[in-house]
Amino acid sequence: MRRIILSLTSMAALALAGCNHSSDASQQQAAAGGAEAAGPQGNSVSGNITLRDTSRTLSSEAKLDINIVDLTAHSDTPVASKTVQPVTLPLQFKLDVAPGDINPSDMYVVEANLVDGERSYTTSIKAQVLTGAGKNTVDIQLVGVATPGEKELAGHDSVKKMIGGMKVTSGTELKEGASRSWQIFKQGNDTKFIRELVDYGDKGFTSTDYSYKNGKPWVVVQEKKPSKDGKPTSTERAGWNDAGELVLKDNVTGSKTENLPVDAANDLRKQSEAIYAKVGGSKK
């Protein structure tokens, strides 16, 4: 009878031990599963930020905003953010995140936005961080966004590429101190593009391209040279958006680009209107 009691006691002990082992294993598996769902561990994100166009230089007014954003929640409030001003690139950064602000099932990305005057830069590819397949260390490359003036200039260049398929007429005018010639490019009855060459003798030479939209000056690009076959000493560019606002105002000398004074831009507009009227543009 004693042997039977001992055997039953031993069996109960073994069963209890087995239950405890099973419970521990289950807890370990659950913990492992939770860690896998949450992705990389840690409550901070660090990295390096660079410009794709390494020839660009930033002014002292440049401002950089770095944010960690919850894409799943579509929240306008970042879970972590930092503002840097002035900005020197490349730049190393670190953002700390409160553990309670992270949902393991959500997707988080780093967004970086740089503004320098009219120029802005943004991330071409958003880096996923913290959860899922995200990392805690990222490399971010900022790409320049076209300014309003650059967009108008790109439109002007597109028209310029198409003038070979347009109807073209030409004319000349000789006055004291200036010999002038021009070509007019039309689609139907609308003047889209005019190229004007003016020889001022010893005072230099200008080559000017004018584009028009809805019968109004759009973009003017004027090269100033010492002579017809000489290299440009400067290039002035002015352009206006659909509302008539001056958005392109560049004065290019060699590799240096500066703001074209408003008065000089207005002079280019007057030249554009004058040549348009001279060649009989169809719209006023």
Side-chain angles (χ1 to χ4, degrees):
M1 185 68 178
R2 183 179 178 184
R3 290 181 181 178
I4 294 175
I5 293 173
L6 287 175
S7 297
L8 291 173
T9 303
S10 299
M11 290 175 63
L14 289 173
L16 181 60
C19 289
N20 289 337
H21 176 76
S22 176
S23 176
D24 292 342
S26 298
Q27 291 176 1
Q28 291 174 3
Q29 289 176 359
E36 182 177 355
Q41 298 301 299
N43 299 316
S44 67
V45 174
S46 59
N48 193 51
I49 299 178
T50 59
L51 280 182
R52 174 178 292 180
D53 185 354
T54 56
S55 65
R56 290 280 182 183
T57 56
L58 302 177
S59 74
S60 59
E61 302 299 319
K63 184 176 76 168
L64 174 65
D65 291 316
I66 313 168
N67 299 311
I68 298 178
V69 178
D70 186 344
L71 290 185
T72 306
H74 302 287
S75 174
D76 293 331
T77 303
V79 297
S81 64
K82 177 177 290 187
T83 297
V84 179
Q85 189 178 29
V87 183
T88 301
L89 297 179
L91 171 77
Q92 292 183 338
F93 74 93
K94 181 180 179 182
L95 291 176
D96 295 320
V97 185
D101 291 340
I102 298 299
N103 185 339
S105 61
D106 285 1
M107 177 183 291
Y108 297 86
V109 297
V110 176
E111 292 181 348
N113 295 286
L114 173 65
V115 177
D116 188 9
E118 293 184 347
R119 175 79 55 186
S120 61
Y121 304 82
T122 188
T123 47
S124 56
I125 300 176
K126 291 179 170 55
Q128 185 178 347
V129 294
L130 296 173
T131 61
K135 300 178 179 180
N136 290 77
T137 303
V138 295
D139 288 320
I140 296 174
Q141 190 176 71
L142 296 174
V143 180
V145 179
T147 65
E150 288 172 340
K151 292 177 182 178
E152 303 302 338
L153 182 60
H156 166 91
D157 290 340
S158 295
V159 173
K160 182 178 177 180
K161 291 177 181 178
M162 296 188 294
I163 61 176
M166 298 181 187
K167 181 173 64 176
V168 57
T169 57
S170 59
T172 60
E173 181 182 74
L174 181 60
K175 289 186 176 181
E176 185 177 354
S179 174
R180 191 182 306 267
S181 65
W182 59 81
Q183 289 180 305
I184 309 111
F185 300 89
K186 291 187 175 183
Q187 283 184 337
N189 293 323
D190 293 338
T191 298
K192 296 293 186 182
F193 197 91
I194 298 175
R195 175 165 292 160
E196 182 185 40
L197 307 177
V198 184
D199 191 342
Y200 296 99
D202 294 340
K203 294 183 179 180
F205 187 94
T206 61
S207 173
T208 311
D209 286 343
Y210 307 92
S211 61
Y212 300 86
K213 185 185 289 187
N214 298 322
K216 297 180 180 180
W218 183 13
V219 173
V220 181
V221 178
Q222 184 172 89
E223 292 182 342
K224 296 182 178 181
K225 308 177 182 182
S227 63
K228 179 180 179 180
D229 298 323
K231 293 183 178 180
T233 55
S234 67
T235 301
E236 296 181 349
R237 300 188 294 225
W240 300 266
N241 61 18
D242 291 342
E245 299 167 332
L246 178 65
V247 293
L248 173 64
K249 44 186 186 298
D250 291 341
N251 184 20
V252 183
T253 305
S255 60
K256 186 177 181 180
T257 301
E258 298 178 322
N259 282 336
L260 181 69
V262 174
D263 289 346
N266 289 338
D267 286 342
L268 291 178
R269 185 182 181 94
K270 291 177 182 177
Q271 292 179 38
S272 180
E273 293 171 338
I275 187 68
Y276 188 83
K278 181 188 291 290
V279 303
S282 63
K283 296 181 179 180
K284 301 298 181 182

